[in-house]
Amino acid sequence: MDNLLDKAGSVRQGEELDITRIDQFLKSQLPSLQGEPRLEQFAGGASNLTYLLAYADRDLILRRPPFGHKAKSAHDMLREAQIMTALKPVYPYVPSVLASSHADEVMDVDFYVMERIKGIIPRQNLPKSLNLNPEQTRQLCINVIDKMIELHQVDYRAAGLSHLGKGEGYVKRQIDGWTDRYEKARTPDVGSFADVMAWLKAKMPSQDVATCLIHNDFRFDNVVLNPDNPLEVIGVLDWEMATLGDPLMDLGNTLAYWVQADDDGVMQMMRRQPTHLAGMLTRQEVIDYYGQKTGYKVDNFDFYSIYGLFRLAVIAQQIYYRFYHGQSKNAQFAMFGQMVNYLEQRCLGLIVNSKL
């Protein structure tokens, strides 16, 4: 099953680490470590950087912010580590945090080190040798959704995580916040989203459905599957944006990335997880299943679906803004402006057909 495991590769140029200093720090925290570590880097993720520290007797994972970015509010590694540490006893799929370091203690940024959960990460496509039939694929899909539902049912007060949120009003704060971010990041070659933003403000529910612990980036490529039983979820990763909020907003965010088999060609080009496979639930089936399992009213999910797509458009536009103004040379970002315009039209199409 080793051929199914998510593997690291060479460290990208300009993203090297001082492995000697890191090794000295880790051995002061974990005296049982043996030998010198091999340093590799995982390709996944577009924000924080993830490295493999392969020791003779165990593998560790190091997470740090991207180089050149010192805004702790956007890449708060210590907050992520604290959330994971508090959550681990009540949500066992969280990797164990083993050490953390403040900026200038070892490197010029905060970072943390956690255990490695060895397994399969379902990225854009499943490993070719993982031959799941439609029934197995459907069960895998349900198992992943169940982990989100389980997270939403965690007693965050008992876990000591009450401080993560601001209470009632999460929906309004999100609509106001993402509207402001889009207006600040807009470039002349993308749409205004004026009608979309006005609709979201007019149609937002007067109250949050509930307040619970939400992941805010719950996708297939943030879960780890058991290589001996690929239908079993053994890990959930990337807790940077976790907070307290409305669970249906979390589901809306997840479904914004959910590209199903009958979506158009542009959506298929945007796909980054294997939700197109035969047996995978459609977006509507996910909504219905989630409602049945949680008891939340999901009869008309349009607001949350359109919010999720709008939020995704803002994220893409923030990246495109940096490319447009020459702050990033990554050629793949050149198409993000077109993606933003496509998402605006998709939102407007859903608004036209909405029953709200």
Side-chain angles (χ1 to χ4, degrees), residues 14-169:
E15 297 181 352
E16 298 86 357
L17 303 179
D18 187 339
I19 190 61
T20 300
R21 289 193 67 185
I22 293 169
D23 178 49
Q24 292 172 348
F25 166 74
L26 285 177
K27 284 176 178 171
S28 73
Q29 306 292 309
L30 305 166
S32 64
L33 288 177
Q34 299 293 320
E36 303 298 319
R38 182 181 75 255
L39 179 67
E40 296 182 349
Q41 187 175 22
F42 289 94
S47 180
N48 296 318
L49 305 180
T50 305
Y51 298 84
L52 170 67
L53 302 172
Y55 282 88
D57 56 341
R58 68 192 299 190
D59 288 347
L60 306 180
I61 300 295
L62 184 149
R63 291 259 293 167
R64 61 150 289 161
F67 284 83
H69 199 305
K70 302 297 190 292
K72 291 184 178 180
S73 60
H75 303 276
D76 193 338
M77 296 289 90
L78 299 185
R79 176 184 182 273
E80 183 173 7
Q82 290 163 0
I83 290 172
M84 293 168 65
T85 299
L87 194 53
K88 176 70 175 177
V90 292
Y91 191 73
Y93 316 104
V94 178
S96 296
V97 175
L98 304 175
S100 61
S101 171
H102 292 275
D104 299 324
E105 186 178 1
V106 179
M107 60 178 83
D108 63 346
V109 292
D110 299 339
F111 71 92
Y112 71 88
V113 174
M114 63 183 179
E115 67 167 331
R116 181 188 184 189
I117 301 177
K118 285 189 176 182
I120 306 163
I121 296 182
R123 301 194 186 277
Q124 185 178 32
N125 297 299
L126 292 176
K128 291 181 179 179
S129 56
L130 189 63
N131 299 311
L132 301 184
N133 61 39
E135 291 75 21
Q136 292 171 316
T137 300
R138 181 179 180 85
Q139 189 59 55
L140 168 61
C141 184
I142 289 172
N143 291 348
V144 170
I145 298 166
D146 281 344
K147 291 298 175 285
M148 171 186 262
I149 293 172
E150 189 173 336
L151 175 67
H152 290 172
Q153 295 173 340
V154 165
D155 186 341
Y156 64 85
R157 295 180 182 88
L161 293 170
S162 298
H163 64 283
L164 285 183
K166 298 179 180 178
E168 180 67 31

Side-chain angles (χ1 to χ4, degrees), residues 126-251:
L126 292 176
K128 291 181 179 179
S129 56
L130 189 63
N131 299 311
L132 301 184
N133 61 39
E135 291 75 21
Q136 292 171 316
T137 300
R138 181 179 180 85
Q139 189 59 55
L140 168 61
C141 184
I142 289 172
N143 291 348
V144 170
I145 298 166
D146 281 344
K147 291 298 175 285
M148 171 186 262
I149 293 172
E150 189 173 336
L151 175 67
H152 290 172
Q153 295 173 340
V154 165
D155 186 341
Y156 64 85
R157 295 180 182 88
L161 293 170
S162 298
H163 64 283
L164 285 183
K166 298 179 180 178
E168 180 67 31
Y170 178 82
V171 172
K172 184 179 188 305
R173 288 193 298 273
Q174 291 302 296
I175 299 304
D176 291 345
W178 290 105
T179 295
D180 181 64
R181 293 181 194 105
Y182 186 77
E183 291 171 343
K184 289 178 178 176
R186 188 183 173 194
T187 50
D189 55 342
V190 298
S192 69
F193 271 87
D195 290 343
V196 176
M197 294 186 292
W199 187 90
L200 287 169
K201 287 186 177 181
K203 302 298 184 180
M204 74 173 73
S206 58
Q207 290 184 315
D208 298 344
V209 166
T211 297
C212 68
L213 189 61
I214 62 176
H215 185 278
N216 254 332
D217 201 19
F218 200 98
R219 306 191 311 256
F220 273 78
D221 54 347
N222 275 333
V223 303
V224 185
L225 308 179
N226 183 349
D228 297 320
N229 175 16
L231 305 188
E232 179 189 3
V233 178
I234 58 174
V236 178
L237 310 175
D238 197 353
W239 294 91
E240 180 191 0
M241 293 188 287
T243 189
L244 299 182
D246 188 314
L248 296 190
M249 298 286 271
D250 203 18
L251 183 59

Side-chain angles (χ1 to χ4, degrees), residues 316-330:
Q317 179 59 27
Q318 288 175 318
I319 296 170
Y320 180 64
Y321 177 93
R322 295 196 294 272
F323 177 85
Y324 183 91
H325 289 284
Q327 299 167 11
S328 171
K329 304 299 183 184
N330 192 329

Side-chain angles (χ1 to χ4, degrees), residues 267-319:
M267 282 289 285
Q268 298 297 336
M269 290 175 61
M270 293 167 57
R271 183 177 61 78
R272 55 186 299 179
Q273 53 184 352
T275 48
H276 66 303
L277 295 175
M280 283 283 178
L281 275 66
T282 64
R283 287 183 292 271
Q284 188 58 53
E285 287 175 328
V286 172
I287 293 165
D288 293 341
Y289 178 81
Y290 183 90
Q292 292 164 8
K293 291 279 287 190
T294 64
Y296 293 133
K297 184 176 174 61
V298 294
D299 294 351
N300 196 325
F301 200 79
D302 296 347
F303 171 83
Y304 304 98
S305 295
I306 293 167
Y307 156 72
L309 290 171
F310 172 60
R311 174 183 178 265
L312 176 58
V314 179
I315 293 170
Q317 179 59 27
Q318 288 175 318
I319 296 170

